[in-house]
Amino acid sequence: MDELIIQGGKPLSGKVRISGSKNAALPILLGSMLVPGEVVISGLPELQDVGTTIELLTLFGCSCRREGDSVSIVAGSGLKPEAPYDLVRTMRASVLCLGPLLARLGRARVALPGGCAIGSRPIDMHLRSLEKLGASFDLDSGDILGHCERLRGAHVVFDFPTVGGTENMLLAAVLAEGETILENAAREPEVSDLAEFLNACGARISGQGTSLIRIKGVESLRNCRYTVMPDRIEAGTYMAAAGISGGDLQLENCPDWALDTVIAKFREMGLEVEAGESVTRVRSSPDLACIDIVTQPYPGFPTDMQAQFMALMCVASGSGMIQETIFENRFLHALELMRLGAQIKISGDTALIRGERRLIGAPVQASDLRASASLVLAGLAARGTTTVRRIYHLDRGYERMEDKLAQVGARIRRKK
Ligand code: EPU
């Protein structure tokens, strides 16, 4: 298994280009199954989950041709409602196959995703809302079997603004008969990006980016070309890298418009963030201070930036609190940060961080994607050598992270 070896203590400086968003790319790729003609999706990050999704599309019967950061997908008449368990099982986002397969074929079979390191992550809201459109589900050997006649528009009120649940509904309702109204829908920019992609294919979705989304069903969707939005969490992670290393970074292709809350929190800590025409400049300060954070659905503070802020707070002055309200078990990185000398106390869903620690390098183990990023960040600040193990998590969500960091001066290398 690969490891990252980091010699900390070097302020980063220079330009980093932000890649396309993983969490926007995956539902958009799966959404291409709704279109019988050719869809060309560009701006794709080179990530394992993107590769797995394209492989999945091929196994569902799509013809996919990849070229650079684009892929051409044709989901013609040979579409199949199921894919091999071993592949579907490796990626939680495969549950987003349900919407498009039910809409196109009236049948779908996907593996019921199990829990993962950050929480139990059920899909009850996906299934309940799809049932409102007329689908029914059975469980068969750990797989969900879905079937329906033509889906019919319905009024759905989510118990919680679930990102995946809202996406699955968009993917199903675009081809349903009549109008679907989603209340308490997720407002995340990646959900809006999916809606924009579907509209570019001829769907009639309005209200994306608000908690009330209307979808007027259409008979079929048409060919389109679409570029996925830049990755706001990758951008936020490099902002944290500038901060923790005492550096000065310029981020190209940075989606500032989707980072208001995150940028406000960085500024509250003392970072200088200047959004320009083509680059966003982020400068650290010797007077970084801990703050309090509560994770919330968008436009609140994102759970996907919680671990990175925790790393940054370990070296800032004073003490701060982080409350994680989205996932029930997303503090595993805290224990590893403590191996580097961080002082963190966890009580239920809240972490108390005492700052001003001098971190000292050590071997640490990544437990999930954002936890891995926080350990890399801590390694950039720590004295001596930090070895981050199990970085396959990182490879699922950050495009060439060690190359991008090395280009701006980090002493980091991958050991195979
Ligand atoms: N939930 C349920 N039932 C459901 C759906 C969700 O109880 O049917 C719970 C989840 O267990 C969780 C909460 O609701 O506690 C939020 O889940 P949500 O559905 O909003 O999240 P998701 O679609 O599973 C996406 C991202 C996550 C990101 C969350 C929150 C993708 C592929 N994943 O997950 O990204 O943390 O939204 O913003 O888009 C990451 O990139 O590291 C990552 C985990």
Side-chain angles (χ1 to χ4, degrees), residues 140-412:
D140 178 43
S141 325
D143 288 353
I144 301 168
L145 283 179
H147 37 95
C148 60
E149 302 292 321
R150 184 170 179 200
L151 297 170
R152 278 173 197 275
H155 189 153
V156 172
V157 184
F158 287 110
D159 294 346
F160 177 87
T162 155
V163 172
T166 306
E167 291 170 343
N168 235 337
M169 280 304 277
L170 289 177
L171 291 163
V174 283
L175 292 183
E177 193 182 326
E179 188 179 40
T180 299
I181 296 176
L182 305 181
E183 271 193 72
N184 201 22
R187 288 183 278 170
E188 269 68 4
E190 294 76 15
V191 175
S192 302
D193 210 34
L194 172 64
E196 297 301 337
F197 159 71
L198 293 168
N199 281 346
C201 299
R204 294 174 66 199
I205 303 171
S206 58
Q208 58 273 26
T210 77
S211 51
L212 186 87
I213 302 181
R214 283 174 195 276
I215 308 142
K216 293 203 166 101
V218 295
E219 284 299 320
S220 65
L221 296 179
R222 55 169 188 263
N223 302 14
C224 94
R225 304 180 82 86
Y226 194 79
T227 304
V228 297
M229 64 172 283
D231 197 314
R232 65 188 167 109
I233 305 299
E234 189 197 20
T237 304
Y238 284 103
M239 289 180 181
I244 205 164
S245 71
D248 180 349
L249 290 180
Q250 292 167 56
L251 308 183
E252 293 176 324
N253 197 34
C254 176
D256 306 306
W257 48 272
L259 281 160
D260 282 352
T261 314
V262 171
I263 291 176
K265 285 292 179 191
F266 276 132
R267 287 187 176 139
E268 198 182 326
M269 287 191 75
L271 255 77
E272 278 181 52
V273 184
E274 256 172 72
E277 280 273 289
S278 58
V279 294
T280 299
R281 185 165 178 193
V282 188
R283 270 176 290 184
S284 191
S285 140
D287 304 315
L288 292 182
C290 287
I291 54 169
D292 293 339
I293 284 172
V294 181
T295 63
Q296 296 278 326
Y298 191 85
F301 184 88
T303 171
D304 291 345
M305 280 301 300
Q306 177 259 104
Q308 300 88 318
F309 267 76
M310 187 182 282
L312 187 55
M313 284 206 233
C314 292
V315 301
S317 65
S319 49
M321 241 173 50
I322 298 181
Q323 191 188 0
E324 170 57 61
T325 72
I326 308 292
F327 291 107
E328 69 270 24
N329 189 26
R330 211 174 194 184
F331 281 143
L332 290 176
H333 45 280
L335 296 168
E336 299 297 306
L337 289 171
M338 281 151 76
R339 290 174 49 78
L340 301 174
Q343 264 203 9
I344 304 169
K345 269 209 176 112
I346 308 282
S347 170
D349 66 356
T350 303
L352 176 68
I353 301 115
R354 285 190 210 288
E356 269 167 292
R357 305 304 301 169
R358 195 78 192 128
L359 301 181
I360 300 171
V364 285
Q365 195 145 298
S367 53
D368 72 84
L369 171 56
R370 310 303 168 188
S372 324
S374 84
L375 297 176
V376 171
L377 292 172
L380 294 174
R383 200 166 50 195
T385 306
T386 300
T387 307
V388 185
R389 299 191 173 136
R390 297 205 179 167
I391 55 158
Y392 53 84
H393 294 293
L394 199 74
D395 293 337
R396 295 181 73 153
Y398 288 92
E399 187 175 51
R400 300 182 298 104
M401 191 182 206
E402 72 271 22
D403 294 344
K404 289 190 182 187
L405 285 171
Q407 267 165 23
V408 290
R411 289 171 296 202
I412 182 167

Side-chain angles (χ1 to χ4, degrees), residues 18-23 25 43-45 47 228-231 234 253 399:
I18 302 305
S19 304
S21 158
K22 164 183 85 82
N23 288 350
L44 292 173
L47 296 174
V228 297
M229 64 172 283
D231 197 314
E234 189 197 20
N253 197 34
E399 187 175 51

